[in-house]
Amino acid sequence: MLKTTAAVFLAIATTSFFVLLSFPPPKSYYHSLFISTSLSDNVSISHHLYTLTRRPHVAGSQANAEAASYVLTTLAACNMEARIVSYEVLLIYPDSRSLTLTPSPSEPPIIFDLKQEIYDGDPYADVADEVLPTFHAYAKSGSVAGQVVYVNYGRVEDYQTLKEMGINVTGTVVLARYGEIYRGDIVMNAFDAGAIGALVYTDRKDYGGGGGDVNWFPDDKWMPPSGVQVGTVYKGSGDPTTPGWASTEGCERVSVEEVESSGDVPLIPSLPISAADGETIMRSIGGEIAKDDWQGSKDAPIYRVGPGPGVVNLNYKGKQVIATIQNVIGVIEGEEEPDRFVILGNHRDAWTFGAVDPNSGTATLLEVAQRLWKLQRKGWKPRRTIILCNWDAEEYGLVGSTEWVEENRELLASRAVAYLNVDCAITGAGFHASATPQLDDLLKQAAQQVQDPDNSSQTIYEQWVQSGASPLIGRLGGAGSDYAAFLQHIGVPAADMQFGTGYPVYHSMYDDYVWMEKFGDPMFRRHVAAASVWGLVALRLADEEFLPFNYHSYAFEVQKRAEDLENEISDKDITFSPLFKSIEELSEAASKINSQKKEIKEAKGWTSMRRNDGVKVRELNDRLMMTERAFTDRDGLLRMPWYKHLIYAPSRHNDYGSTSFPGIGDAIENAKKLNTAESWNLVQHEVWRVARAVRHASLVLNGNLT
């Protein structure tokens, strides 16, 4: 009897063992494990960030090549195929620059040293001389002299205000503060207004804590008075000498003259300068007092608009180099659908030490890689291929990611499920995300599963909702990071995530590990949380049988934006009816594909042919994946043809600005200025273009030929 009972138990145990072998844990088990404390490691993240930021590592430098080697080694140690993909691209470095101010004809000139100061006890003083002199990448080389005009943030509307005040900018050097628009647009707008040079400074009101008795770094988070925000002024994407194709060795290149005629690089010299130097120049400006909202911090001098009497002499010479940049690519091949790609990306190159921008993101990417390796050791295998990308030369103009997308355009256009970007992963507290609308629900659901790193009693989603952000999820209209080539050039669904918003020491030599450890994320818990959300979104896209896309969100979003535009020009003879009709068709297609998904899920019994169900699932997922591609137009935007996406792309006058229907918006702006029949006809044409794109998207989502 005992033997019989033992035999029964043995049989049950053996059967259970083989059942477990036959039915491994569901993917959701591994997803929960991924975000558990047992797999996360803030000490490891801290070590990654410290290692990556020990030296300044601008694109094309030996230090950045060494950082690439570190990323490659770390990915390879996670048991994934890892490689470096190199490109030969045009980079610019400062050769010489000088700035002199003559406050008035009776006063001696002031020569600015244009240096960021080392502070007492600076642990990076030994490598401070490796920081490049402050400059604007791709700025026009030249020497100019002229009276100074203060132009606030250098926006189109700021120049309109000056015009209404009777201020003529022609032949002057403008002084603009950074903050509202992309620095390249500041310089471009200055040129359009007739200026011969541009100086861009970081106002204490925006970056220095508002002035007064406020401390600055290293005692507080604020930008020191000598801090300078460097950066690119290039308005294109990718290597300027290979517009639209990859910068591989020995490839065709356009001339520097052709680059200048493209409209993507400024035609007047410019320099970034510190708050201290900006205020010194401001004191030399006379004329009418600027408006209240143009004024600086409470203890700043009174801001006047000029012109003059202060005169500046600006000299800048850049050195052009065809340099090697290195993208690091890591691949975890999918088990069931290896030809479907879920892509995570972050760039590595930094203007200086880059603790926030971008290596908080790089350290987080490596944490995701290490957690995925831990999952693999526990038996997890992704359904679809996951690709981890560490880009180079993003700071110069999204160069590394753009070259890779241009080289792999056809494969990515046919196989990429989504692109998930993290740039500055951590600047402070509070989760923020932007995405194409079909990913909205997925982002919210992931945020509901991860604990808020600053309040363990709530989830990230609860913190997010309480923040009052409106809208909760932003849109990827601007070209501010590496999602641009994926979304705006080839139409891949995309998202961008981070904790915090701006940070005061942006693009300065004070963006170092000390700043992060003291002010950005002292315990590195925000890095851990960022990795959890980023990785969880990637896992669901890689593992779920049905792609978790919701195109109802898309239809709702474009409907709302179309209504706003219609109301904006309701007094004009422009009809939006074709666009509204297309949006209605998109909404109907979204309902239809959701019903089809439900029908397949509810198919009962083992008698149904699973192989045929698999074909149905694959076909449905292909429609979900390819719908975003239909929002692109092969001709691209007017005067910005590289940007193919008609729903989300940069505005012509603000490369960072997020806008929906950029073609319509730019056409409306132009028509308001010209107010001719031809200009308003162009608005109607752009409405029709978008309507056609939205209709094409609904046809793809439906999956039926007309």
Side-chain angles (χ1 to χ4, degrees):
M1 180 70 180
L2 289 175
K3 288 184 179 180
T4 304
T5 303
V8 170
F9 278 125
L10 179 60
I12 292 172
T14 303
T15 302
S16 299
F17 174 75
F18 283 109
V19 166
L20 286 172
L21 287 179
S22 303
F23 299 97
K27 299 288 190 183
S28 58
Y29 164 78
Y30 294 110
H31 299 177
S32 297
L33 192 59
F34 179 86
I35 60 176
S36 68
T37 56
S38 63
L39 261 64
S40 62
D41 190 348
N42 59 343
V43 174
S44 176
I45 296 175
S46 171
H47 172 74
H48 290 319
L49 186 64
Y50 179 82
T51 303
L52 289 162
T53 59
R54 186 63 191 88
R55 294 169 61 194
H57 49 287
V58 70
S61 68
Q62 178 59 34
N64 199 37
E66 291 170 5
S69 179
Y70 178 80
V71 172
L72 178 70
T73 300
T74 305
L75 294 182
C78 295
N79 197 38
M80 66 178 71
E81 177 200 334
R83 63 184 183 274
I84 285 180
V85 181
S86 298
Y87 296 99
E88 305 296 317
V89 303
L90 177 70
L91 300 182
I92 309 292
Y93 303 105
D95 191 33
S96 64
R97 78 257 197 279
S98 66
L99 182 65
T100 303
L101 167 69
T102 303
S104 70
S106 62
E107 295 180 79
I110 299 171
I111 302 173
F112 297 102
D113 64 14
L114 304 177
K115 289 183 179 179
Q116 301 184 80
E117 296 175 359
I118 298 169
Y119 57 88
D120 290 341
D122 186 347
Y124 298 99
D126 61 324
V127 292
D129 60 349
E130 296 181 26
V131 175
L132 287 179
T134 53
F135 80 118
H136 280 153
Y138 301 112
K140 174 75 172 176
S141 292
S143 298
V144 296
Q147 289 187 318
V148 185
V149 171
Y150 171 53
V151 296
N152 196 26
Y153 292 108
R155 301 165 295 186
V156 171
E157 56 264 40
D158 293 328
Y159 285 101
Q160 181 60 36
T161 297
L162 289 171
K163 184 178 180 180
E164 292 168 359
M165 295 171 67
I167 305 300
N168 185 4
V169 178
T170 303
T172 67
V173 175
V174 302
L175 176 67
R177 53 182 176 175
Y178 185 85
E180 293 294 324
I181 62 174
Y182 169 56
R183 73 187 68 78
D185 289 303
I186 293 175
V187 182
M188 293 286 193
N189 292 345
F191 172 77
D192 290 343
I196 58 173
L199 300 170
V200 182
Y201 77 105
T202 46
D203 197 315
R204 286 191 295 152
K205 183 179 181 179
D206 300 309
Y207 292 90
D213 297 327
V214 174
N215 292 320
W216 53 78
F217 185 72
D219 299 317
D220 208 334
K221 67 180 182 178
W222 303 107
M223 177 83 94
S226 73
V228 177
Q229 180 208 112
V230 302
T232 187
V233 289
Y234 174 48
K235 279 183 62 67
S237 291
D239 179 8
T241 67
T242 60
W245 64 90
S247 291
T248 52
E249 187 175 359
C251 70
E252 177 189 10
R253 295 184 186 277
V254 302
S255 67
V256 174
E257 292 73 24
E258 288 175 287
V259 171
E260 289 193 349
S261 66
S262 70
D264 288 334
V265 295
L267 299 177
I268 56 174
S270 66
L271 269 182
I273 60 175
S274 67
D277 293 348
E279 287 192 3
T280 298
I281 296 172
M282 191 69 73
R283 290 186 178 93
S284 77
I285 302 176
E288 193 172 339
I289 295 175
K291 299 192 307 178
D292 287 346
D293 59 352
W294 284 38
Q295 294 296 322
S297 57
K298 54 189 176 184
D299 59 344
I302 294 174
Y303 288 8
R304 298 176 182 270
V305 296
V311 172
V312 295
N313 284 265
L314 163 62
N315 300 280
Y316 169 74
K317 181 181 179 183
K319 180 171 62 176
Q320 299 175 347
V321 176
I322 298 295
T324 301
I325 63 169
Q326 298 176 314
N327 295 332
V328 185
I329 310 293
V331 180
I332 305 173
E333 187 169 311
E335 187 175 36
E336 297 169 65
E337 297 183 70
D339 60 338
R340 291 294 177 263
F341 307 148
V342 176
I343 306 170
L344 291 75
N346 153 268
H347 76 96
R348 179 187 67 259
D349 66 294
W351 286 120
T352 60
F353 297 97
V356 171
D357 185 6
N359 298 129
S360 61
T362 313
T364 303
L365 182 73
L366 297 180
E367 164 73 2
V368 170
Q370 289 174 326
R371 286 200 220 174
L372 292 178
W373 168 226
K374 292 173 185 176
L375 285 189
Q376 287 179 286
R377 291 166 65 184
K378 294 181 181 296
W380 166 80
K381 295 179 181 178
R383 178 187 182 96
R384 303 178 184 95
T385 295
I386 296 177
I387 304 175
L388 285 74
C389 304
N390 185 228
W391 310 116
D392 202 351
E394 186 271 357
E395 296 292 5
Y396 274 83
L398 319 179
V399 178
S401 58
T402 297
E403 299 311 308
W404 193 74
V405 168
E406 288 176 345
E407 184 170 36
N408 297 284
R409 180 188 295 112
E410 283 69 32
L411 271 179
L412 291 170
S414 61
R415 299 185 178 186
V417 170
Y419 174 72
L420 308 174
N421 190 70
V422 168
D423 191 327
C424 305
I426 311 297
T427 65
F431 183 71
H432 299 269
S434 297
T436 46
Q438 76 274 58
L439 298 177
D440 284 1
D441 290 350
L442 178 57
L443 284 166
K444 293 174 184 176
Q445 291 159 10
Q448 288 168 354
Q449 292 181 253
V450 181
Q451 186 183 81
D452 178 6
D454 296 295
N455 184 349
S456 60
S457 67
Q458 64 182 7
T459 65
I460 287 174
Y461 181 75
E462 289 169 325
Q463 169 274 311
W464 196 7
V465 171
Q466 291 167 12
S467 71
S470 181
L472 187 64
I473 298 177
R475 297 300 165 218
L476 297 173
S481 194
D482 290 301
Y483 54 77
F486 290 90
L487 171 63
Q488 297 162 359
H489 189 58
I490 63 172
V492 173
D496 187 68
M497 296 162 269
Q498 69 179 74
F499 276 86
T501 49
Y503 69 108
V505 296
Y506 175 60
H507 283 191
S508 75
M509 70 177 288
Y510 308 106
D511 179 9
D512 61 19
Y513 183 85
V514 175
W515 191 94
M516 178 61 73
E517 192 175 40
K518 291 182 73 171
F519 307 114
D521 192 10
M523 300 301 293
F524 286 84
R525 289 173 181 156
R526 293 167 186 159
H527 283 78
V528 169
S532 294
V533 177
W534 195 8
L536 185 58
V537 171
L539 282 169
R540 289 193 57 193
L541 287 167
D543 284 342
E544 291 195 5
E545 184 178 22
F546 293 94
L547 291 178
F549 290 172
N550 179 5
Y551 278 94
H552 274 303
S553 296
Y554 225 123
F556 174 80
E557 185 74 18
V558 294
Q559 174 80 19
K560 184 172 60 175
R561 174 59 176 159
E563 290 171 354
D564 290 343
L565 286 172
E566 183 183 45
N567 291 334
E568 182 181 341
I569 54 171
S570 58
D571 58 333
K572 305 298 179 183
D573 189 24
I574 303 296
T575 176
F576 279 76
S577 58
L579 179 53
F580 288 125
K581 184 175 185 297
S582 295
I583 294 169
E584 184 179 352
E585 292 174 353
L586 180 64
S587 182
E588 291 171 357
S591 296
K592 181 179 177 181
I593 200 167
N594 287 346
S595 297
Q596 292 170 342
K597 185 190 301 185
K598 185 178 180 181
E599 288 174 11
I600 298 174
K601 284 182 177 180
E602 291 178 350
K604 302 285 187 182
W606 292 95
T607 55
S608 64
M609 296 296 291
R610 294 299 301 170
R611 182 176 61 82
N612 289 339
D613 282 354
V615 171
K616 290 179 181 178
V617 171
R618 172 80 169 197
E619 188 274 338
L620 186 146
N621 281 337
D622 283 352
R623 286 187 273 142
L624 289 168
M625 181 181 75
M626 296 302 293
T627 296
E628 189 73 52
R629 316 290 196 267
F631 292 122
T632 63
D633 183 284
R634 63 185 178 186
D635 294 330
L637 296 175
L638 186 65
R639 293 188 292 274
M640 298 193 301
W642 185 86
Y643 295 99
K644 309 294 185 187
H645 208 286
L646 298 190
I647 312 298
Y648 297 114
S651 165
R652 198 163 74 87
H653 293 290
N654 183 9
D655 216 42
Y656 283 171
S658 181
T659 181
S660 305
F661 307 143
I664 300 176
D666 285 342
I668 289 174
E669 180 185 325
N670 185 60
K672 285 180 176 179
K673 184 167 58 178
L674 299 178
N675 200 27
T676 62
E678 183 181 6
S679 64
W680 286 109
N681 285 339
L682 181 59
V683 173
Q684 186 66 74
H685 171 65
E686 290 294 332
V687 172
W688 274 109
R689 285 185 77 198
V690 175
R692 288 191 288 270
V694 175
R695 181 166 188 269
H696 289 158
S698 66
L699 290 173
V700 173
L701 203 56
N702 275 322
N704 295 322
L705 294 170
T706 57

